[in-house]
Amino acid sequence: MLQFLIRRLTGAVVIMFLIGAFTFFLFYTIPQDFAELSCGKNCSPENIAVIRENLGLDKPITSQFWEFMGGIVSGRDFAQGYCSAPCLGMSFDTKEMVFDSIMDRFPLTLSLTVGGLIIFLVLGLGSGLLAAWKRGTMLDKIVSGASMVLSSFQIYFLGPIVLGLFVYSTGWLENPKYVSFFESPGSWALGMLIPWAVMATIFTAQYTRMSRSTMIEQLQEEHVRTARAKGMSQKYVFFRYAWRGSLTPIVTILGIDLSGLLAGAVVTEFTFDLAGIGRLAVDASLDKDLPLTMGVMLFGAFFILLLNIIVDIAYAYIDPRVRLA
């Protein structure tokens, strides 16, 4: 296990370096004066020259790249002050440090993701297992049919319908908003309730179908049939043998979904007018704020790599047949 972690972490560092290099040179090959972008409209040539020097844009491109990569590890000095590690640069638009801007938005995206994740996992896995347990019955047909219909919905379609019904028409719920959990847990949950419900509706349907199909496949495996032949109860075989084996493909898809949501739920945040990392990425692109755009991309890549490592480790605990060497 230790060798596996070292190997994966080393590979993750290399991949992050390559992503950082690709992102940096991709943006900095754009034929645009970044000092002019940072200065804004009606900016004098003298001010542009000062900004170019303050941002280090007067240096060779390779020197700028190594300063950028070194800032991630050890921090970096700017004319406006010191940027501590991990330093992702300074925003052209707000003149704030990119990492600070990302961390200001991260709690909202994290709350949105974790809350929705808990709900759709509990409902999706539970209903999928129930459908597999009652395979062929009316209950199985109802659950399977509902999941087929709901999985075809999209957040940008279902979200406005829910808002129109429960917020604008009836007034039963308030518009989604973010309140810190530590400030008021009740207000935090109430503000995230509608996005959670919409996400749970769509993702529950997907995980219901997935958990049902994988469970049915596991029930046909030889080790499950052997357990039945030994006289073990149906309930014990179902939960002790089949259920654990069915989790492997679900964990794989979960890692992909979770990393995508954490990296920036653009559609969800725009649908419910929430200012998270996804909204930050879009605003940065529209404002041509290249340091902020690069920072969000690297932040998202970091979480994707981290969650892939966690998923690989989870395999060994879910399925004893998997060995990490």
Side-chain angles (χ1 to χ4, degrees), residues 1-13 305-306 308-314 316-317 324-325:
M1 177 66 76
L2 180 60
Q3 293 180 354
F4 168 78
L5 286 176
I6 294 174
R7 190 167 62 248
R8 287 306 304 269
L9 290 174
T10 302
V13 171
L305 291 173
L306 177 63
N308 283 336
I309 294 174
I310 294 175
V311 166
D312 288 342
I313 295 174
Y317 293 97
L324 303 178

Side-chain angles (χ1 to χ4, degrees), residues 100-109 275-277 279-280 283:
D100 294 338
S101 299
I102 292 175
M103 294 311 296
D104 286 341
R105 304 289 189 96
F106 181 61
L108 188 152
T109 301
I277 292 180
R279 185 69 173 266
L280 181 67
D283 291 343

Side-chain angles (χ1 to χ4, degrees), residues 71-72 74-76 82-88 97 99-100:
I72 298 176
S74 59
R76 186 178 174 187
Y82 178 73
C83 176
S84 58
C87 179
L88 298 175
M97 298 306 170
F99 186 75
D100 294 338

Side-chain angles (χ1 to χ4, degrees), residues 18-241:
L18 295 176
I19 293 175
F22 175 78
T23 305
F24 182 90
F25 288 108
L26 176 65
F27 283 132
Y28 278 77
T29 53
I30 298 175
Q32 179 70 52
D33 190 342
F34 297 144
E36 185 177 345
L37 284 176
S38 180
C39 190
K41 296 181 179 179
N42 302 321
C43 191
S44 66
E46 293 78 11
N47 289 337
I48 293 177
V50 171
I51 292 174
R52 184 178 291 109
E53 181 179 357
N54 291 340
L55 295 177
L57 298 175
D58 55 338
K59 300 178 182 179
I61 188 67
T62 53
S63 299
Q64 295 181 45
F65 170 70
W66 287 115
E67 285 186 3
F68 173 76
M69 298 303 294
I72 298 176
V73 179
S74 59
R76 186 178 174 187
D77 286 315
F78 287 94
Q80 289 79 359
Y82 178 73
C83 176
S84 58
C87 179
L88 298 175
M90 186 180 66
S91 169
F92 287 164
D93 186 41
T94 64
K95 304 300 186 293
E96 296 179 356
M97 298 306 170
V98 170
F99 186 75
D100 294 338
S101 299
I102 292 175
M103 294 311 296
D104 286 341
R105 304 289 189 96
F106 181 61
L108 188 152
T109 301
L110 182 64
S111 298
L112 193 66
T113 301
V114 172
L117 169 72
I118 294 173
I119 295 174
F120 72 66
L121 270 186
V122 172
L123 295 179
L125 296 182
S127 57
L129 293 177
L130 182 62
W133 176 267
K134 299 294 184 179
R135 182 185 180 187
T137 64
M138 181 59 66
L139 178 62
D140 177 29
K141 295 178 181 178
I142 293 174
V143 172
S144 300
S147 65
M148 287 285 290
V149 175
L150 294 177
S151 63
S152 64
F153 288 171
Q154 297 295 327
I155 291 176
Y156 55 80
F157 171 77
L158 187 60
I161 294 177
V162 175
L163 287 174
L165 180 61
F166 292 101
V167 177
Y168 306 127
S169 297
T170 62
W172 292 347
L173 296 173
E174 297 180 356
N175 250 324
K177 62 180 179 179
Y178 174 72
V179 178
S180 174
F181 174 83
F182 302 101
E183 180 181 338
S184 175
S187 299
W188 169 78
L190 186 61
M192 294 284 104
L193 182 59
I194 291 180
W196 286 347
V198 172
M199 291 173 60
T201 300
I202 296 171
F203 283 95
T204 293
Q206 298 176 5
Y207 281 84
T208 296
R209 297 172 58 193
M210 191 186 315
S211 60
R212 177 187 179 276
S213 61
T214 55
M215 176 59 77
I216 291 176
E217 290 177 3
Q218 285 296 314
L219 290 173
Q220 309 302 320
E221 293 287 337
E222 292 185 3
H223 67 282
V224 175
R225 294 200 300 266
T226 301
R228 286 173 175 168
K230 291 182 178 179
M232 298 180 183
S233 67
Q234 178 73 9
K235 185 176 181 180
Y236 183 82
V237 171
F238 189 89
F239 289 101
R240 178 63 179 84
Y241 290 93

